[in-house]
Amino acid sequence: MFFPGRSDKRIAALSLGMTPRLYPLADAALCIDWGNQIDPELNDRVLALCEQLHAMRLPGVLNLAPAYSSLTVVYDAALLPYARLCAAVEALLAHPTAQETTQGRLVEIPVCYDPEMAPDLEALARRSGLDPEAVIQLHLEREYRVYMLGFLPGFPYMGTVDPAIAAPRHARPRLKVPAGSVGIAGAQTGIYPLESPGGWHLIGRTPLRLFDPAAAAPALLKAGDRVRFHRISPEQFQEITDQR
Amino acid sequence: MSLQIIRAGLLDTVQDRGRYGYAELGIPAGGAMDPLALSLANSLTGNDPGTAVLEFHFPAPRIRFLQDARIALAGADFSPCINGQPIPMHTPVLVRAGAELHFTQRVWGAWTCLAVAGGLALEPWLGSHSTDLVVGAGGWNGRALQDGDVLPLLQPETGHDWREGETHRCGRQYSNPAGFYPADAPLRFCPGPEHDWMTPGAQQQLETERWRITTQSNRMGYRMDGAILEQQETADLLSAAVLPGTIQLLPDGRFIVLMADAQTTGGYPRIGQLIRADLPRLAQMVPGETFRLVRVAPEAGREAMERQRQWLQRVYYGVKFNRSS
């Protein structure tokens, strides 16, 4: 029997650019796995394969779930035998689309970093040995890639933040994080689309709606997008909120 | 044509097969906690198996049918009654306008599906009637049912000749899904991608220990208690896709099995995946109940689903052609 797993040796073997591993999640899904890495090129491959599978419209494919460096295909084994799904994926991997990596669209996200909306900013600054203004500048100066959506509808996992402001999640998550909160966890930055429990370090808030179920396209962001934050005042925050 | 919630239960929601195709936006599939009960309840009323139903936990609601309706209940046995008279599970029942359905006692199981012939007249959200409680969309206004809610139904029943005082009539078809919920058999799983992140000792414990469902269990996942499973790999795991049935190892050495409303991604080690056919079995267990796990190959999972599928088909066509089964 094949027992998939990820020991150090296997992670080392899955170096960038190599063929991904394919393995089943029982009879429910197929995982195509390039390894446990945050890497834009790997993510490009994930998204390219996801796009190709979308276009193929294989009957029996129920859901495509791209992540940092893996793509999970949820399928109905009664309609689509596992072997046939694997063969289709292997064929696509052998013949990647000729297109250049499309540059994701750039999305500007206004953020208010005022202390009221940034409950963890001061603590994060102390932890980094910087003052809060420096933390804000470091957050603002980079363009981030949206690697994946997950955790909540519309929640973007973006990376990577300047190592100086990276920090592990809170050991004990907050019971309530306000919608629009911008946070940092590890090397990632993210935005809570809805009020929810959460363990990220909250350093600001955006008035934009990351998720609107009534909209034709309910999620503001998608994997592959590029994001740049810009700073707004509390007054501007209120203005934008009122206009929504 | 409608039904009214006279008194809402603990958690009544509209559910169907689930909302597929949006995992990449972080939108979970959701759907009935017990997909087998969903298909069965629908088939018994002549509905397509994936039609929207009402799914109840216990305490379950009191419901009044405002017009004649053909219904069926499948899944947990909460001792259903029409106007105080017990009615059988897993059987189509014709109920009279004004009749009230209520549930007196939990006998077995955790989730029951009420199907009404013709289905509910609701607008889908992203192609499904499943209720997304996190976002507040889909199903009945994106929320659990409340006292006084009136839900529109699609199909009127043609006028029936009721006798004086008669409130309902049971159909002849009767199907018993008990064979798919064997009481003491272990739940079947396949190792997950991070199965070997557990020590060899823990890998063995996973299959030899008895696991107890804790009260920290809900539609998103059932949290288990029992032996502490030791991890040998300590690397940070990036978020990857998860789905109902995924067994996640938590930092405290216990594990959670994700259920219907699980998030689409997670960062905990995926030590296993329950086979699809055994999700209904786990769904119907309640806190305090215990189970064992046994490792199987994915093929065993496919075969088990195929048996369920064939059995459900026989029920569906049996009802369609009005045969007793």
Side-chain angles (χ1 to χ4, degrees):
Chain A
M1 257 192 285
F2 172 57
F3 302 130
R6 285 207 201 138
S7 65
D8 273 340
K9 294 196 193 94
R10 287 184 223 184
I11 292 172
L14 282 171
S15 58
L16 299 181
M18 282 188 69
T19 328
R21 278 192 313 135
L22 271 62
Y23 52 79
L25 295 177
D27 58 329
L30 163 66
C31 195
I32 304 125
D33 192 346
W34 279 265
N36 191 30
Q37 311 250 18
I38 301 182
D39 177 84
E41 275 182 43
L42 276 185
N43 193 247
D44 277 341
R45 280 161 204 259
V46 172
L47 299 182
L49 181 62
C50 189
E51 191 49 51
Q52 287 176 290
L53 278 168
H54 258 306
M56 215 181 203
R57 296 184 181 286
L58 267 178
V61 170
L62 298 173
N63 242 332
L64 295 171
Y68 277 101
S69 51
S70 66
L71 175 66
T72 302
V73 183
V74 182
Y75 72 104
D76 184 345
L79 296 175
L80 177 59
Y82 181 72
R84 180 137 50 93
L85 174 57
C86 285
V89 168
E90 276 158 1
L92 291 175
L93 289 170
H95 300 99
T97 45
Q99 63 179 96
E100 297 302 303
T101 306
T102 44
Q103 268 274 292
R105 62 192 179 142
L106 178 64
V107 182
E108 300 261 354
I109 308 263
V111 179
C112 181
Y113 293 93
D114 225 55
E116 263 181 42
M117 304 196 180
D120 293 328
L121 181 56
E122 217 177 310
L124 184 65
R126 269 200 309 274
R127 187 185 188 280
S128 318
L130 300 167
D131 62 60
E133 190 52 41
V135 173
I136 294 171
Q137 288 310 316
L138 287 174
H139 190 248
L140 286 169
E141 75 184 14
R142 284 195 174 191
E143 189 182 278
Y144 300 97
R145 182 198 175 101
V146 178
Y147 279 89
M148 56 181 271
L149 302 191
F151 168 54
L152 289 170
F155 184 108
Y157 283 83
M158 300 177 281
T160 48
V161 302
D162 190 300
I165 60 173
R169 281 172 180 76
H170 287 306
R172 282 194 11 228
R174 279 189 173 77
L175 285 178
K176 270 193 189 164
V177 171
S181 293
V182 177
I184 288 177
Q188 308 157 118
T189 184
I191 309 170
Y192 287 81
L194 331 153
E195 183 182 273
S196 136
W200 292 45
H201 298 270
L202 308 179
I203 61 166
R205 203 181 302 173
T206 180
L208 294 189
R209 295 191 74 169
L210 271 286
F211 190 81
D212 180 1
L220 180 70
L221 297 172
K222 62 182 190 297
D225 283 346
R226 294 172 295 136
V227 163
R228 194 172 268 284
F229 298 105
H230 65 270
R231 186 181 208 162
I232 58 172
S233 66
E235 293 73 34
Q236 289 169 312
F237 184 101
Q238 196 52 54
E239 257 181 65
I240 299 174
T241 306
D242 292 339
Q243 281 163 21
R244 270 175 17 186
Chain B
M1 170 71 177
S2 48
L3 56 82
Q4 182 168 34
I5 308 300
I6 302 301
R7 189 174 168 79
L10 183 64
L11 181 60
D12 316 322
T13 54
V14 175
Q15 301 292 346
D16 63 10
R17 275 225 166 99
R19 184 168 292 109
Y20 288 96
Y22 300 95
E24 54 203 295
L25 299 187
I27 302 175
M33 286 289 282
D34 181 348
L36 177 53
L38 166 76
S39 295
L40 179 54
N42 275 319
S43 298
L44 290 167
T45 59
N47 287 346
D48 280 347
T51 307
V53 300
L54 299 185
E55 185 188 62
F56 314 134
H57 201 30
F58 195 80
R62 175 180 284 268
I63 294 175
R64 180 182 297 146
F65 294 94
L66 303 182
Q67 287 84 23
D68 291 357
R70 185 180 307 276
I71 68 170
L73 288 157
D77 183 350
F78 297 150
S79 314
C81 297
I82 294 285
N83 287 20
Q85 293 175 359
I87 58 166
M89 294 288 300
H90 311 126
T91 303
V93 179
L94 186 65
V95 297
R96 189 174 183 177
E100 286 189 10
L101 167 69
H102 85 292
F103 303 83
T104 58
Q105 191 190 340
R106 190 188 82 85
V107 171
W108 176 88
W111 305 92
T112 220
C113 289
L114 167 67
V116 183
L120 300 160
L122 297 173
E123 280 303 305
W125 178 55
L126 299 180
S128 165
H129 292 290
S130 291
T131 307
D132 189 324
L133 292 168
V134 167
V135 151
W140 180 247
N141 302 310
R143 61 165 173 80
L145 305 183
Q146 292 167 4
D147 295 359
D149 282 344
V150 176
L151 277 71
L153 300 168
L154 273 170
Q155 199 171 288
E157 277 290 319
T158 49
H160 292 278
D161 216 353
W162 297 98
R163 294 193 298 276
E164 173 92 32
E166 190 185 19
T167 57
H168 64 283
R169 275 177 216 158
C170 295
R172 249 179 252 171
Q173 292 86 351
Y174 180 86
S175 58
N176 191 344
F180 292 111
Y181 303 89
D184 282 319
L187 296 176
R188 295 163 288 183
F189 81 102
C190 300
E194 288 88 46
H195 181 264
D196 67 356
W197 283 39
M198 292 187 288
T199 61
Q203 291 178 35
Q204 207 179 7
Q205 279 179 305
L206 187 62
E207 296 174 59
T208 53
E209 293 286 324
R210 198 159 260 281
W211 305 104
R212 193 181 78 252
I213 300 175
T214 70
T215 51
Q216 294 174 286
S217 298
N218 54 43
R219 291 187 58 90
M220 292 179 74
Y222 285 6
R223 198 174 278 242
M224 312 307 176
D225 205 359
I228 305 299
L229 297 170
E230 241 189 282
Q231 243 181 273
Q232 63 183 356
E233 174 65 70
T234 52
D236 232 357
L237 193 57
L238 290 173
S239 285
V242 294
L243 55 153
T246 298
I247 306 174
Q248 291 182 307
L249 181 63
L250 302 175
D252 65 2
R254 294 181 171 83
F255 65 89
I256 192 168
V257 182
L258 297 181
M259 303 301 279
D261 283 0
Q263 300 164 346
T264 54
T265 62
Y268 295 128
R270 297 162 293 174
I271 58 176
Q273 179 75 32
L274 225 54
I275 65 168
R276 285 183 67 190
D278 280 358
L279 254 178
R281 292 177 59 198
L282 178 60
Q284 296 294 0
M285 291 186 188
V286 296
E289 278 190 65
T290 65
F291 62 91
R292 282 204 159 98
L293 287 167
V294 67
R295 186 193 308 192
V296 299
E299 187 54 41
R302 284 189 277 280
E303 284 167 8
M305 276 304 284
E306 184 56 25
R307 280 195 292 276
Q308 273 188 22
R309 212 181 57 81
Q310 287 185 9
W311 183 83
L312 282 165
Q313 273 207 325
R314 283 201 294 277
V315 172
Y316 178 79
Y317 287 112
V319 170
K320 282 286 191 205
F321 296 115
N322 209 24
R323 279 196 290 269
S324 315
S325 59

